[in-house]
Amino acid sequence: MIRIAIDGPSGGGKSTLAKRISKETGIIYVDTGALYRTVGYYVRGKGIAKDDNQGVISCLPDISIELVFRDGHQTVLLNGKDLGDKIREPEISMYASAVSAVPEVREFLLETQRRIARENSVVMDGRDIGTVILPDADVKIFLSASNEERARRRCAELRAKGIEASYEEVLADMNERDANDKNRAVAPAIAAPDAVHLDNSGLSLDETYEAAMKIIKSKAKNKLPKKSKSKMLVHKRSMTGFYRFMWHIFHGFFKFIFNSKIYGAENEPDADYGAMLVCSNHISATDPIAISLSLHRHQACFMAKKELFKIPLFAQLIRMLGAFPVDRKKSDVSAVRHTISILEAGGWAAMFPQGTRHPGEDPRKTSLKSGAGMVCAHTGADVLPVYISTKNATHRLFRRKNIIIGKPIKFEEFGYEKGKAGEYARISAEIFDRVCTLGEEWEKANNAK
């Protein structure tokens, strides 16, 4: 893993550079400034003065901040609501600067930032990343530009977003914020002793990016992630020639070993159908294989616990079927982000709302994870419900699998309300209800026969 810290004053282009590095390398971008802006937005909304430290501290128990990553970009949710560009207004910048000087606020947000950096390769931008948040970062860059240049950039950025602000106003706010950030007692905005200074006053974005990448490669070239060789494969909507060849081999083998039967195969859409999230109940380790081999027209990629990739032959099989590893012992943001990227590219991905296996249990009585709802909401993908049943099992080692494929559920049917608390969990519950109903209807008809 690699941790890149980009510090510097407001308007220097830290966020733009960090996002570009994230996009080009696949490293997760964490906009730490957005966290403080979100706290500042909440404080201002409560009518509390930005210099009222006790008032700010009293708000913290009522604040819930969630980081959601989508294709390498971060969205900050305040109590379940995405504030968008509302946190980018000049007045909020002043509030962010003020609340960031409160030790309790910094402590409130510190562990969130460090936890993400412990679990993932990250590029973070802010004012004290290299000095406080990630003092052991592999690469530290202090990015700066002249005050006048930074003010011009900020004005252009605000106007592009429809926010009117005069150059004089932005420059005055910037100078005041710089002074506050540099002179504050807690985590002042200064360069780390081992940071590399980069002045981009006369540089374009491309030139700034190239200069930053030279620094990164000189400091930690071997830690940069390699681009996935299987990217084009997993983003295909329909089966590739190689995948289809392997599918035919293992499809027959799977049917023979498990005496499996597929019901509702006609419900699988045509090969040119767009993004689809396949959701099923989870009863055994072979469920992902069962789903993959039950789809005749599409390759559905799926998460599989990383321990399975240590089993040589089995690992090869599931990789061929589109599996990618997930660390279930932590919040594996990269695996979720990979799933989202597959769907955004128009591909198919499979998830289990239950998260883990629940063999022999009534599926309606098991707990659910909100991951399927989150992925669905962020991509707008339709859902294909699948139910796996071991009814009429003939022997214990290889229990018969009946795979029931339901009709696709349009994303619009979920009535998703962006920013509303609990939406991810609600959508996951609705998806799983359709999965369970599919299985109950099949078992009722099966018993009737």
Side-chain angles (χ1 to χ4, degrees), residues 206-275:
D206 287 341
E207 291 170 334
T208 301
Y209 169 73
E210 290 172 5
M213 287 306 297
K214 285 182 180 179
I215 295 171
I216 293 170
K217 290 178 180 179
S218 68
K219 293 286 185 179
K221 180 179 180 180
N222 294 333
K223 290 190 175 183
L224 283 172
K226 295 180 180 179
K227 298 217 173 181
S228 171
K229 295 180 181 179
S230 61
K231 184 176 182 181
M232 292 305 295
L233 172 63
V234 301
H235 283 179
K236 287 288 185 181
R237 292 185 181 182
S238 56
M239 296 181 179
T240 62
F242 176 75
Y243 178 85
R244 182 172 291 281
F245 172 74
M246 298 305 299
W247 183 90
H248 278 293
I249 292 177
F250 288 107
H251 178 74
F253 175 77
F254 186 80
K255 288 189 68 175
F256 173 76
I257 291 294
F258 289 94
N259 187 25
S260 63
K261 291 188 177 181
I262 302 170
Y263 299 85
E266 68 279 3
N267 291 325
E268 181 186 351
D270 293 336
D272 59 352
Y273 198 93

Side-chain angles (χ1 to χ4, degrees), residues 71-146:
D71 197 22
H73 299 292
Q74 169 189 287
T75 296
V76 183
L77 303 182
L78 171 61
N79 296 332
K81 183 178 181 180
D82 180 3
L83 301 177
D85 290 331
K86 293 178 181 178
I87 63 173
R88 302 294 175 182
E89 297 173 0
E91 186 178 357
I92 300 302
S93 297
M94 299 306 299
Y95 265 85
S97 179
V99 301
S100 66
V102 179
E104 288 80 0
V105 174
R106 304 197 69 80
E107 187 65 28
F108 177 68
L109 298 173
L110 178 61
E111 180 52 31
T112 296
Q113 300 168 73
R114 285 183 173 173
R115 175 179 54 78
I116 295 172
R118 282 196 303 268
E119 298 174 352
N120 306 274
S121 288
V122 297
V123 52
M124 288 190 182
D125 72 284
R127 286 169 177 73
D128 64 345
I129 307 302
T131 56
V132 177
I133 309 299
L134 301 178
D136 58 346
D138 302 287
V139 182
K140 299 178 184 179
I141 297 174
F142 191 83
L143 185 67
S144 62
S146 68

Side-chain angles (χ1 to χ4, degrees), residues 373-431:
M374 183 190 75
V375 169
C376 185
H378 275 268
T379 60
D382 295 342
V383 174
L384 185 71
V386 174
Y387 189 82
I388 301 174
S389 172
T390 55
K391 186 177 178 62
N392 299 330
T394 55
H395 35 82
R396 297 178 64 184
L397 180 59
F398 296 115
R399 304 183 71 188
R400 174 177 179 175
K401 283 183 179 288
N402 298 301
I403 316 300
I404 303 94
I405 301 174
K407 294 181 179 180
I409 308 168
K410 291 293 184 180
F411 173 71
E412 293 75 16
E413 294 183 39
F414 298 117
Y416 172 58
E417 295 183 44
K418 185 176 181 181
K420 184 177 179 181
E423 283 293 88
Y424 299 157
R426 180 186 66 80
I427 293 175
S428 283
E430 288 196 22
I431 291 173

Side-chain angles (χ1 to χ4, degrees), residues 306-376:
K306 67 177 185 179
E307 289 80 7
L308 295 178
F309 291 83
K310 296 178 181 179
I311 307 173
L313 294 178
F314 189 75
Q316 278 186 305
L317 170 59
I318 60 178
R319 283 188 186 279
M320 290 175 187
L321 295 175
F324 54 94
V326 59
D327 189 344
R328 298 194 305 179
K329 297 179 181 178
K330 67 177 185 179
S331 177
D332 196 338
V333 178
S334 60
V336 175
R337 184 164 60 92
H338 188 65
T339 301
I340 290 175
S341 69
I342 290 170
L343 294 170
E344 288 183 328
W348 281 39
M351 292 186 74
F352 300 103
Q354 292 167 291
T356 56
R357 300 192 303 272
H358 293 274
E361 297 181 50
D362 181 349
R364 289 196 181 274
K365 295 181 179 180
T366 58
S367 60
L368 303 178
K369 305 293 184 181
S370 61
M374 183 190 75
V375 169
C376 185

